Amino acid sequence: MAAESERVDRSSHSMDKSITLPPNEIFRNLENAKRFAIDIGGSLTKLAYYSTVQHKVAKVRSFDHTAKDTEDDPLYEISMQEEILARLHFIKFENAYIETCLDFIKDHLVNTDTKVIKATGGGAHKFKDLIEKKLKLRVDKEDEMTCLIKGCNFVLRNIPHEAFVYVKHADSEFRFQNTHPDIFPYLLINIGSGVSIIKVESEDTFERVGGSSIGGGTFWGLGALLTKTKRFDELLQLASKGQHTSVDMLVKDIYGGSYVSLGLTGDLIASSFGKSATADKEFSKEDMAKSLLHMISNDIGQLACLYARLHNLTRVYFGGFFIRGHPVTMHTITYSINFFTKQVTEPHLTELPSQGEVQALFLRHEGYLGTIGAFLKGAEEDNPNQYSWGENYAGSSGLMSTSPDLNPMQRARSGTFDMLEMDRLERQLVNLPLLQDPSSYIPDTVDLSEDALAREYWLYCFEEALDGVVKRAVASQPDLPEAAERAEKFRHKYLHKLQTLRHQPFAYGSLTVRSLLDTREHCLNEFNFPDPYSKIKQRENDMALKYFQKAVKSLEELSWEQRQFALVRGLLAGNVFDWGAKAVSDVLESDPEFGFEQAKRQLEERPWLIDNYDQWLERLNGPPHKCALFFVDNSGIDIILGVFPFVRELLCRGTEVVLASNSSPALNDVTNNELQILTERIAAMDPVIQSAVKEDRLTLVQSGSSSPCLDLSRLDKVLAGVVRERHTDLVIIEGMGRAIHTNYYALLSCESLKMAVIKNSWLADRLGGKLFSVVFKYEVPLDKKPTTLDHVPVTPS
C-alpha cells in the first residue's frame, strides 16, 4: 500500500523510459518466471508473476558407524544442496512506467513457456495492444470483482497482520489484527469511482449486496471543480492540510452548543459545506478538499455500517483506489463507522470497538488484491490455495509511512515501485488444536510498534549482534571464497531493514522480537546462508552425547522427589546454551569448555521469578498424562542432557511424547532432521528411549516453523493431526523465544508448562528479575481445575 502522493509530475498517459530497473531489486528472478497476471487501474499498474528460485539448504546425513570405532568421528555430515523454491512476485508501479517495465520484462524473460497473461482492471483494455506487442503474450481478461475477492481471501489467509485498524491519535496508529482461523463471512467495501459493497461467504461465494455512486470518482470530480486540482493525490494532500470546520456547518453553529436531548455534541457536522451558502468569503482549497473528503467518507462509513448490521457482520474491510493508505481517509471512515455503531461523539476517538461490534479494517496489501486474484485464476493447475504461503521480508517493501514529514526519500521511492514477495511453504500450516480460543490468540508478548522504549532497545540489540552473525555465516562455509562477499551483502540488506523499521515499525505488521528474528533469517537465506550455526550445532551435539549415559545414571541414583527437581533444573540449565543470547554467546565464544554443571550454577535459586514448581510436583503425584507435546529449543546440551532425560521420565510414567522441532534451521535450534539422528543414537544407548521409539510412544514431528520463536496458529498440519490422534493433554514449551517472547500469555485448553532461562539483562530487568532468572510457568485451564498461578506483566503498567 505504497504512498503515491509524491509521484513525478507528468501526464498519466506519458511513458517514462528514463528509469533504470535494477534486476536484483525490481522484477527479481524474471529469467525463471512461469506465468503472469496484470491489474491496470487509472494510475497504477500491478504485475504478478510466479517463479522458481534456486537456493541452498543445509542437509544432515548420518554416518554409517557400524563398521569401525566411531569414538572421535562426528555424528553426522553436513552438506549444502540446491533446492527449488516457488515464489510469487507482486510489483506495483505508476502507469507512466508501463512501457519501460514491459521492455525490461521482454529483455529478461528467457525461460518461460507462458502464452497468456491474465488481466483485470479498467486499464486492461486500454493497454491490451501494448502488452501483446511487447510481451508476445495473449491478454486474457478476468472479471474484476472475482479477482478482487480471490485476492482478498488469499492475503487474509496467508499473511498474518494483513488487516489493521487505524487509530489516528493513538501512540501506534496501526493496530494489526490476528489472522482469524475462519476468515468468512466478511463485508468488502470496494471504493473505486463508485462504491461496491460485497458480502463474501466462502472462497467462491460472494454477492454484491449494495453500493453507491458517491465514491472516489465523486471526490476526484467535485474536488477538481472546487480546487482546480486535477491530480487525485494532490487533492488528498490538500485535504490533509485543511480545516473542514471553516466550510462545514456544525451542530454548535445552529444551536450554539450541543443538542443534548439527541445526544449530539457541538463539534459534530450538521451540514457538509453548510457555511458556503451563507458565508460571504473565499474558502481555501485545503478546507474545501477536507470538507469534501469528510462528506464522502462519512457517507461511505454510514452505508458500510448499515449493510454490516443488515447482514449481521462485524468484519468490514475497505479497499479500492480511494483509500491509498491515506491517514485522513482512513481516519474519517473509521470515525464514521465508530460513530454509527456506538454513537460515540468525541471528536478525538482513540478507543477500539469492543468484541462483536463493527470494525473498519484496512489491508496492508490492498493495492494488490486484483492482480493476486487474476494470478490465482491463471494458476488452477498448481492450485496455490492448497499450500500455505509466507511473506518474504527480504524481498517485500512493507507498508510505507503515510506521514509527509517522515522519511521523504523513502516515500518518493515507494511512490515509484512497491514489492511484495511470497514463498510457498513446504507444508500446510494450521492452528494448534489445543488453543483455547484461536480467534483471540496472539503469539507475541510485546508489540514493539507500541512500545518505543522496547523497540529502540531491540533494534539496537540486533544491530550490535550483526558482526557476530556475519562472522558465523562466513565460518559456516569455509570452502566457499565468495562467502565473505555474500555475508557483507547480507549485512547491508539487514541493516537497511532495521533502519526502515526504526522509522516505520509497522512496515510488516506488528513489530516484534519474532519478526526481527524472522527478517534476519529471510535475509540470510537470500544470500545463501541457510544454517550459519550448522558446525557449532554438530560440535555441541557430538560433545553432549558423550555425557548422556552418565547424566541418566546420576539421575537414577536419586530419590523420586529429588529426581523430579534435578530433571527440571537440568532442563533449565540446558536451555542456557543459546547462541541467540549475547550474554551466553560471549561466554561460549571465550570458553568453549563451559559445561552443563557450570550452567546449573548460573541458575537462579528458588523461589524463581515465576515459580509453579510445587504445583507441578503435586500434579506428578497424580495419574500420568496421556500424551505430552514438547516444543524443543536448542541443539547440544539443551536437547541431549536437558530435554531427553525429562522426556525419558515422562515415558517411564506411561506418558506418550511428541517432540516438535523446527522444520528448517534458525540460530542453534535443533531441526527435525538433526533430531532424528540424535534420537537414533540415544536409542542405541538407552533401552527406555529405544523401546519408546519402537512402540511409537516417542514420536518426532516437525513443527512447520523456521523461527527461534513459535506461532501456534501456523503449525504443520501433520503435527495438528498427531495432537488430535494422541489426545494430547500436556503442552511443554521451552526456551526464551518460544515461552517468553512468544506464548507467554497463550491460553491452552489443556495443561501447559512454559520453561525458560532469561538470558538477556534488559528483559530480565523488565520482568523484575536478573540475568539467568527462571520462568517455570505451569498452567491448568480454569474449566479443568481451579488454580492460582503467579503472574508477572511483561510490559510496564
Side-chain angles (χ1 to χ4, degrees):
M1 200 187 297
E4 303 170 64
S5 54
E6 297 190 16
R7 294 199 308 247
V8 185
D9 188 15
R10 64 171 65 83
S11 163
S12 61
H13 299 291
S14 68
M15 305 297 179
D16 186 333
K17 296 188 176 184
S18 64
I19 190 168
T20 303
L21 304 177
N24 62 330
E25 288 183 36
I26 317 288
F27 299 114
R28 304 197 314 159
N29 205 44
L30 257 179
E31 64 275 12
N32 293 315
K34 303 297 180 191
R35 63 177 64 85
F36 289 86
I38 197 163
D39 174 15
I40 308 176
S43 58
L44 287 176
T45 295
K46 286 78 68 178
L47 184 79
Y49 61 96
Y50 166 95
S51 79
T52 50
V53 183
Q54 242 188 349
H55 72 128
K56 291 192 185 302
V57 293
K59 293 284 187 183
V60 296
R61 185 173 67 86
S62 181
F63 283 116
D64 179 10
H65 295 293
T66 56
K68 56 183 179 178
D69 180 26
T70 60
E71 182 68 26
D72 296 316
D73 287 348
L75 178 65
Y76 53 80
E77 64 175 332
I78 306 160
S79 62
M80 300 287 282
Q81 297 178 18
E82 295 285 343
E83 275 194 1
I84 301 297
L85 173 78
R87 178 172 286 171
L88 301 181
H89 306 254
F90 305 100
I91 297 132
K92 179 165 57 174
F93 52 89
E94 296 166 40
N95 291 352
Y97 298 123
I98 193 167
E99 190 167 358
T100 297
C101 291
L102 292 174
D103 282 336
F104 184 85
I105 292 167
K106 178 186 67 176
D107 294 342
H108 290 79
L109 202 60
V110 290
N111 293 332
T112 186
D113 54 1
T114 299
K115 299 288 187 274
V116 173
I117 181 169
K118 292 288 184 178
T120 189
H125 176 75
K126 176 181 173 183
F127 290 101
K128 178 178 182 290
D129 292 343
L130 180 67
I131 295 166
E132 292 187 335
K133 176 186 169 188
K134 293 283 186 185
L135 300 185
K136 304 292 189 286
L137 299 175
R138 178 172 56 82
V139 172
D140 189 0
K141 200 164 184 318
E142 291 290 343
D143 176 69
E144 193 170 348
M145 203 57 68
T146 303
C147 292
L148 193 71
I149 302 302
K150 274 191 172 292
C152 193
N153 292 342
F154 185 81
V155 297
L156 288 175
R157 185 177 286 112
N158 286 285
I159 305 182
H161 295 171
E162 171 63 27
F164 62 89
V165 173
Y166 184 77
V167 190
K168 184 178 180 183
H169 298 284
D171 291 338
S172 175
E173 294 174 284
F174 299 85
R175 303 243 179 115
F176 293 93
Q177 307 293 290
N178 303 318
T179 304
H180 200 281
D182 184 5
I183 63 173
F184 306 110
Y186 65 85
L187 207 62
L188 178 64
I189 314 294
N190 191 54
I191 315 169
S193 298
V195 179
S196 285
I197 301 173
I198 307 114
K199 179 184 178 182
V200 185
E201 296 185 272
S202 72
E203 190 62 45
D204 300 306
T205 308
F206 62 89
E207 176 190 3
R208 187 182 188 274
V209 293
S212 171
S213 62
I214 301 171
T218 315
F219 174 69
W220 199 350
L222 279 177
L225 290 172
L226 290 167
T227 68
K228 309 304 178 191
T229 301
K230 295 292 184 183
R231 292 173 62 85
F232 187 87
D233 292 306
E234 285 177 14
L235 268 174
L236 286 175
Q237 284 295 90
L238 287 174
S240 68
K241 298 170 186 171
Q243 290 292 329
H244 76 97
T245 53
S246 302
V247 183
D248 292 340
M249 188 175 289
L250 308 181
V251 169
K252 66 185 177 185
D253 295 324
I254 301 173
Y255 298 106
S258 302
Y259 197 142
V260 179
S261 64
L262 293 182
L264 304 176
T265 66
D267 290 323
L268 279 177
I269 299 171
S271 174
S272 295
F273 287 91
K275 287 180 181 172
S276 60
T278 55
D280 188 19
K281 65 171 186 176
E282 289 290 316
F283 296 98
S284 73
K285 291 180 179 181
E286 290 83 0
D287 293 348
M288 288 190 291
K290 183 67 167 283
S291 175
L292 183 61
L293 185 61
H294 269 284
M295 181 180 80
I296 291 168
S297 298
N298 281 328
D299 183 59
I300 293 169
Q302 184 174 20
L303 267 180
C305 179
L306 290 170
Y307 276 100
R309 283 184 160 171
L310 183 64
H311 293 277
N312 198 27
L313 298 172
T314 57
R315 280 174 285 177
V316 182
Y317 298 102
F318 289 86
F321 88 90
F322 180 67
I323 303 292
R324 304 285 180 104
H326 198 274
V328 178
T329 311
M330 292 191 297
H331 175 64
T332 51
I333 286 175
T334 300
Y335 183 81
S336 178
I337 286 276
N338 287 343
F339 176 78
F340 289 113
T341 56
K342 298 175 70 182
Q343 288 299 306
V344 172
T345 53
E346 294 83 352
H348 300 299
L349 178 73
T350 60
E351 74 270 21
L352 295 173
S354 58
Q355 193 75 21
E357 291 176 332
V358 178
Q359 279 192 319
L361 294 161
F362 304 95
L363 300 168
R364 276 204 293 138
H365 301 102
E366 178 273 321
Y368 292 115
L369 302 187
T371 189
I372 291 172
F375 176 83
L376 293 173
K377 287 286 286 182
E380 281 89 354
E381 62 193 70
D382 289 333
N383 191 8
N385 278 321
Q386 74 181 349
Y387 303 101
S388 289
W389 298 78
E391 184 173 2
N392 174 27
Y393 296 144
S396 294
S397 305
L399 183 65
M400 293 297 121
S401 170
T402 51
S403 165
D405 305 317
L406 186 60
N407 213 358
M409 288 301 291
Q410 185 103 32
R411 279 174 52 77
R413 167 90 175 139
S414 75
T416 305
F417 284 94
D418 184 76
M419 284 81 69
L420 164 65
E421 286 186 357
M422 298 188 72
D423 290 335
R424 192 175 79 189
L425 307 178
E426 290 180 33
R427 46 200 51 83
Q428 267 193 290
L429 302 183
V430 297
N431 281 300
L432 176 69
L434 297 170
L435 281 174
Q436 204 171 90
D437 179 14
S439 63
S440 64
Y441 167 68
I442 300 172
D444 304 287
T445 306
V446 179
D447 185 344
L448 303 180
S449 324
E450 298 185 5
D451 190 331
L453 221 78
R455 177 170 71 246
E456 193 47 49
Y457 170 76
W458 285 110
L459 286 169
Y460 168 78
C461 244
F462 279 89
E463 283 175 358
E464 283 291 288
L466 202 45
D467 285 344
V469 177
V470 168
K471 178 182 166 187
R472 277 185 281 277
V474 175
S476 71
Q477 299 179 4
D479 303 328
L480 299 174
E482 85 287 356
E485 183 185 346
R486 280 187 286 114
E488 282 307 310
K489 287 180 179 177
F490 153 73
R491 181 206 301 274
H492 176 77
K493 182 151 213 172
Y494 187 56
L495 197 56
H496 174 72
K497 291 285 179 188
L498 291 175
Q499 288 164 350
T500 299
L501 290 167
R502 180 169 270 114
H503 295 293
Q504 295 155 195
F506 43 77
Y508 299 103
S510 293
L511 181 64
T512 63
V513 172
R514 176 169 63 105
S515 67
L516 288 169
L517 285 163
D518 290 351
T519 303
R520 188 167 71 183
E521 293 298 325
H522 291 185
C523 291
L524 281 165
N525 281 309
E526 187 77 17
F527 296 100
N528 277 323
F529 292 107
D531 195 355
Y533 292 83
S534 55
K535 295 190 183 302
I536 291 171
K537 289 191 289 182
Q538 182 190 41
R539 186 175 68 243
E540 292 184 351
N541 286 332
D542 287 337
M543 182 197 71
L545 276 170
K546 294 173 183 174
Y547 296 96
F548 176 74
Q549 286 173 304
K550 181 182 175 184
V552 169
K553 188 172 184 297
S554 65
L555 285 164
E556 286 180 332
E557 291 169 355
L558 299 174
S559 68
W560 180 86
E561 193 161 319
Q562 288 174 327
R563 187 165 70 250
Q564 304 317 308
F565 184 67
L567 285 164
V568 167
R569 197 158 170 263
L571 206 155
L572 292 165
N575 193 244
V576 168
F577 291 82
D578 184 353
W579 282 85
K582 192 172 188 302
V584 177
S585 62
D586 287 348
V587 172
L588 296 175
E589 289 272 22
S590 60
D591 181 10
E593 300 303 314
F594 180 80
F596 194 37
E597 294 306 316
Q598 291 97 314
K600 287 179 185 176
R601 290 195 288 273
Q602 295 282 349
L603 293 178
E604 173 189 34
E605 293 295 325
R606 289 194 69 198
W608 295 321
L609 182 63
I610 307 289
D611 194 337
N612 299 137
Y613 177 74
D614 292 338
Q615 292 97 312
W616 171 247
L617 188 65
E618 184 184 341
R619 173 63 184 86
L620 290 179
N621 276 304
H625 296 89
K626 172 78 176 72
C627 177
L629 169 63
F630 198 138
F631 289 99
V632 299
D633 194 8
N634 307 307
S635 291
I637 286 177
D638 189 357
I639 185 72
I640 294 167
L641 301 185
V643 171
F644 265 102
F646 192 92
V647 165
R648 191 178 182 276
E649 185 77 9
L650 289 173
L651 291 166
C652 289
R653 279 174 55 80
T655 300
E656 296 179 3
V657 178
V658 176
L659 289 181
S661 52
N662 272 12
S663 300
S664 307
L667 295 175
N668 66 316
D669 292 355
V670 66
T671 64
N672 186 257
N673 286 341
E674 291 160 354
L675 189 55
Q676 298 276 358
I677 295 169
L678 293 177
T679 305
E680 285 173 20
R681 175 54 68 90
I682 290 171
M685 291 189 244
D686 183 59
V688 173
I689 300 297
Q690 187 176 62
S691 65
V693 171
K694 192 175 179 181
E695 295 162 13
D696 200 27
R697 291 184 294 111
L698 175 60
T699 311
L700 311 184
V701 186
Q702 49 194 321
S703 65
S705 172
S706 55
S707 170
C709 297
L710 181 65
D711 182 351
L712 297 177
S713 68
R714 285 172 72 81
L715 294 178
D716 190 345
K717 192 176 181 179
V718 173
L719 174 59
V722 170
V723 165
R724 284 194 192 93
E725 289 163 16
R726 300 290 174 103
H727 303 290
T728 303
D729 54 355
L730 172 65
V731 173
I732 303 170
I733 305 177
E734 179 210 8
M736 204 164 75
R738 290 168 177 79
I740 294 181
H741 291 314
T742 53
N743 298 304
Y744 189 80
Y745 296 124
L747 297 176
L748 302 174
S749 59
C750 68
E751 294 172 54
S752 64
L753 199 52
K754 299 168 188 174
M755 292 181 280
V757 177
I758 302 171
K759 294 152 287 195
N760 176 285
S761 298
W762 182 89
L763 182 61
D765 184 59
R766 246 209 183 188
L767 284 162
K770 56 188 179 181
L771 198 62
F772 301 117
S773 286
V774 169
V775 169
F776 188 90
K777 197 176 186 189
Y778 170 59
E779 295 176 302
V780 182
L782 292 175
D783 60 340
K784 306 278 180 179
K785 175 186 171 185
T787 183
T788 304
L789 298 176
D790 295 338
H791 181 79
V792 173
V794 175
T795 52
S797 56

